[in-house]
Amino acid sequence: MMEATIPDEERKIETVTSADGTEIAYERSGSGPPLVLVHGAIFDRSIWEIGDVRSTLAEHTTVYAMDRRNHGDSASSEDCSPDAQIADVVAVVESIDDPVHLLGHSSGANYALWAALRTENLRSVIPHEPAAPPDGDVRAVLKQTVAETIALVEKGQNEQALTMVVSDFAKFTPDEVNELRSSPVWEAHVETFDQTLLPEAKVAGEFDWWDLTPFEELSTPTLLLVGGESPHRSMAQRLGEMLPNGRLATLEGYGHAVHLVAPDRYTDEVLSFISEVD
């Protein structure tokens, strides 16, 4: 692991303007090589607080934990398209003076990967299980999820809807769900998650996530993280076979959100890779 620099004493919220004018917020903390964190579709940057993932990473890097549009402190926008989301990641990355390490989880990993094709200000990319249904039928699965979520929300059953999305769609393990439910992150998102997830889910199927041919030329050092027990391994595995400067790291015994239940194992893997690249 990298040697620690100064303690994580300062946390500062800053913003950058994305290509369409949307203000994207990020929280900067720590010291060292820049590391941008991109959360998944359901929660916001607070997800990195579980297990002290952000603060551990900030002991060795300068962490830029961004809020995606319509999440956290970032501005709202009617445009939740993948192109807009990718542009947001690019805006944060290119606002930083030095080349960055870019880590994204789930759909955040998708946007991080495609952002890597649109910016040269990168030192490495660390996609943690880019999201894709096991059968590849993205549109059908998203349509069903949206319909079921709306039905529960209309009945006032927000917590049941959030549980369904996390368990049945995102396929978090029972341990991962329990860790979420016992954290402040869960309660903070029960009443609002449908306002962030649903608009994005409705348009995500319009993007061809399975056309990975553009990545055949991606030379940026890439670490593809997957849980050995996760059903979301397929896209990362395909990329691991085709990326000229990438490798697959399987965290055996864990599911889609290993950072929630084994944060030390997770941060060790991330920091070791960053140290190796630098």
Side-chain angles (χ1 to χ4, degrees):
M1 181 181 291
M2 304 170 63
E3 293 184 1
T5 54
I6 63 173
D8 178 27
E9 297 174 345
E10 182 181 358
R11 301 170 64 174
K12 185 177 181 182
I13 304 296
E14 300 174 348
T15 61
V16 64
T17 303
S18 192
D20 67 353
T22 303
E23 291 295 310
I24 303 300
Y26 58 85
E27 181 181 36
R28 178 166 57 86
S29 59
S31 179
L35 171 63
V36 173
L37 304 182
V38 189
H39 62 82
I42 306 171
F43 302 101
D44 57 23
R45 73 176 191 275
S46 62
I47 195 72
W48 305 109
E49 300 303 316
I50 298 177
D52 296 325
V53 169
R54 180 204 54 80
S55 60
T56 299
L57 294 173
E59 292 175 3
H60 309 273
T61 67
T62 303
V63 173
Y64 297 77
M66 65 177 285
D67 280 326
R68 288 163 47 182
R69 60 178 57 207
N70 297 343
H71 293 76
D73 290 313
S74 286
S76 297
S77 172
E78 293 183 0
D79 185 1
C80 301
S81 67
D83 277 334
Q85 303 266 1
I86 294 165
D88 295 346
V89 178
V90 171
V92 174
V93 167
E94 294 192 340
S95 72
I96 300 168
D97 290 336
D98 297 320
V100 310
H101 301 277
L102 177 59
L103 166 62
H105 174 240
S106 194
S107 62
N110 295 80
Y111 298 134
L113 275 165
W114 264 264
L117 299 175
R118 304 185 185 185
T119 178
E120 296 182 357
N121 195 38
L122 290 179
R123 194 72 184 90
S124 75
V125 189
I126 309 173
H128 176 195
E129 291 205 7
D135 61 1
D137 192 354
V138 178
R139 292 175 179 82
V141 173
L142 286 172
K143 184 176 180 180
Q144 178 182 354
T145 299
V146 168
E148 293 176 353
T149 303
I150 290 174
L152 288 170
V153 169
E154 288 178 344
K155 297 176 183 177
Q157 298 177 348
N158 276 50
E159 185 157 17
Q160 293 91 325
L162 180 54
T163 301
M164 181 203 71
V165 170
V166 170
S167 300
D168 298 340
F169 177 64
K171 303 292 185 183
F172 282 28
T173 67
D175 286 346
E176 292 165 355
V177 175
N178 289 338
E179 195 66 38
L180 270 173
R181 292 179 66 94
S182 64
S183 76
V185 173
W186 182 267
E187 193 63 33
H189 289 83
V190 165
E191 296 304 321
T192 61
F193 87 98
D194 57 298
Q195 302 165 28
T196 57
L197 172 68
L198 292 180
E200 180 180 340
K202 289 176 180 177
V203 297
E206 299 172 4
F207 196 86
D208 189 0
W209 300 109
W210 284 97
D211 180 13
L212 302 183
T213 53
F215 294 100
E216 293 175 351
E217 305 300 324
L218 180 65
S219 60
T220 305
T222 303
L223 178 68
L224 296 146
L225 293 173
V226 298
E229 306 302 317
S230 173
H232 293 285
R233 301 189 301 272
S234 56
M235 185 176 289
Q237 289 171 332
R238 286 182 60 197
L239 285 165
E241 296 173 355
M242 65 190 301
L243 288 175
N245 197 11
R247 74 167 186 259
L248 187 72
T250 302
L251 305 178
E252 297 294 350
Y254 298 106
H256 184 51
V258 57
H259 53 302
L260 301 182
V261 295
D264 291 342
R265 174 76 177 86
Y266 186 77
T267 53
D268 280 350
E269 194 77 38
V270 171
L271 291 170
S272 293
F273 178 69
I274 290 174
S275 179
E276 175 187 325
V277 171
D278 285 344

